[in-house]
Amino acid sequence: MRNIRRIAVILVVVGLIATAFSTAAQGGGEGLTIGFSQIGSESAWRTSFTDAVKAEAEARGINLLFSDAQQEQENQIAAINAWIAQGDVDAIILAPVVTSGWDVVLQEAKDAGIPVVIVDRNVDADPSLYVTRVSSDFVHEGRLAAAWLVQATSGNCNIVELYGTVGSAAAEDRATGFREVIALFPGMQIIRSETGNFVRTEGKQVMESFLSAEDPANICAVFAHNDDMAIGAIEAIKEAGLVPAQDILIVSVDAIPDIFDSLDAGETNATVELSPFMGAPAFDAVVATLAGEELPKWIPVAGSLYTSRAAYDADHQ
Ligand code: GYE
């Protein structure tokens, strides 16, 4: 009887220790000073992403230095250089507006002993210059959007594309994935493509130009690289006297709250989820690298395609 009681006590103690470690492994970072170079506030998703990172930093007791670059790379580079000069910044998290032009500043951060974690988009730089990248698979997002459109149109559709920020990994890779899939179907073709820079008003303006340049009856669908531009396109389609999601199908990416209102209203057809909750894995990567742990060069964030709020809610209970 005494042995049973002894074993029970040991199990309880082991359980408590394991819980403590698992909590520590999931959280961590208290007291660290981390610079977060954010692209801007161009879309609802970006704002949600910023809010989520700030909330996670607050919850962990991280001193977050936040910089909104207003979609200008030079502002991101200036912020990183200032944090390097400050001398007390433990790590930097960078959401790079475009893929090129980062080698010099990343080398300077490395030389200063400040680890950099890439989030959201991607950099075309020597991987030794950053710890890891926390992001979704943009190519897969483009493939998902195209696959849905193929099945919705039996492989016959003239598509107009609302392109994201030129030179950004999100736009380039979503375009690549989308084109990979439609290339398998001779009846699927992109008849017009123009950047709306991930901005709602610009998406509307570009869609208006498409509707003026093309016979609207010749436009089967819109592929918008984000929901904000899709919502702008919906407004343009309605103002042209057409029925969005019926006369012209619409598929986009981000799964922001407003796009579910559009789905509920029958004004769009599908969205591919992009989680804004990348702060936790990014901060975990910072804590791990400061503890000397090796990390993979990519920490993927998954997302699915949704055609209704109910389906999204069922996956996110
Ligand atoms: O889809 C869009 C934002 O970088 C993947 O940027 C992100 C994109 C997102 O402007 O809403």
Side-chain angles (χ1 to χ4, degrees):
M1 187 59 184
R2 185 180 301 174
N3 284 342
I4 290 174
R5 189 178 298 119
R6 188 178 293 145
I7 289 170
V9 169
I10 291 169
L11 288 175
V12 167
V13 171
V14 167
L16 289 172
I17 293 170
T19 302
F21 274 110
S22 66
T23 306
Q26 287 166 356
E30 184 168 9
L32 291 179
T33 296
I34 299 176
F36 175 31
S37 173
Q38 176 60 297
I39 289 171
S41 55
E42 74 284 353
S43 70
W45 180 87
R46 178 75 48 201
T47 305
S48 297
F49 176 35
T50 294
D51 293 347
V53 171
K54 288 181 175 178
E56 185 67 23
E58 177 80 20
R60 292 179 182 226
I62 289 171
N63 173 30
L64 190 73
L65 308 177
F66 178 75
S67 164
D68 176 334
Q70 296 172 349
Q71 294 210 83
E72 296 293 339
Q73 181 178 33
E74 65 189 46
N75 293 340
Q76 294 197 278
I77 292 172
I80 294 170
N81 281 321
W83 292 331
I84 293 170
Q86 192 171 308
D88 64 351
V89 174
D90 298 299
I92 290 168
I93 292 174
L94 167 64
V97 60
V98 293
T99 53
S100 59
W102 300 101
D103 286 284
V104 171
V105 73
L106 291 176
Q107 185 64 60
E108 287 166 351
K110 183 173 184 179
D111 293 344
I114 303 174
V116 176
V117 171
I118 305 297
V119 292
D120 172 23
R121 295 185 185 173
N122 200 1
V123 294
D124 181 14
D126 178 349
S128 71
L129 296 178
Y130 56 89
V131 171
T132 188
R133 173 183 173 230
V134 178
S135 76
S136 64
D137 181 339
F138 301 132
V139 175
H140 183 63
E141 291 166 349
R143 291 179 183 136
L144 283 176
W148 176 86
L149 192 57
V150 164
Q151 60 80 37
T153 61
S154 303
N156 291 287
C157 189
N158 287 338
I159 305 152
V160 294
E161 180 183 46
L162 296 175
Y163 203 91
T165 299
V166 175
S168 71
E172 291 177 351
D173 291 354
R174 284 171 184 167
T176 296
F178 190 86
R179 283 162 174 77
E180 276 180 5
V181 171
I182 67 167
L184 303 172
F185 301 88
M188 302 286 283
Q189 56 182 332
I190 295 172
I191 57 174
R192 290 190 182 267
S193 176
E194 189 175 327
T195 184
N197 213 20
F198 289 127
V199 172
R200 196 169 296 195
T201 52
E202 293 186 42
K204 179 178 181 180
Q205 289 158 4
V206 173
M207 190 66 206
E208 286 167 346
S209 72
F210 289 160
L211 290 165
S212 298
E214 289 284 341
D215 173 357
N218 190 41
I219 300 174
C220 155
V222 182
F223 170 45
H225 287 189
N226 80 332
D227 291 342
D228 282 78
M229 294 193 292
I231 291 167
I234 290 166
E235 290 168 13
I237 292 167
K238 290 201 288 188
E239 288 173 11
L242 299 166
V243 182
Q246 294 180 36
D247 294 335
I248 298 178
L249 302 179
I250 302 159
V251 57
S252 54
V253 188
D254 282 353
I256 62 170
D258 285 357
I259 206 68
F260 288 104
D261 293 341
S262 300
L263 278 168
D264 290 345
E267 294 187 342
T268 193
N269 299 100
T271 184
V272 178
E273 176 188 15
L274 171 64
S275 172
F277 301 107
M278 291 188 261
F283 292 139
D284 289 346
V286 166
V287 171
T289 198
L290 291 176
E293 290 179 32
E294 279 297 310
L295 290 167
K297 279 301 177 182
W298 180 37
I299 299 172
V301 174
S304 303
L305 180 139
Y306 294 98
T307 57
S308 72
R309 186 192 298 273
Y312 178 87
D313 289 348
D315 276 357
H316 296 79
Q317 282 172 347

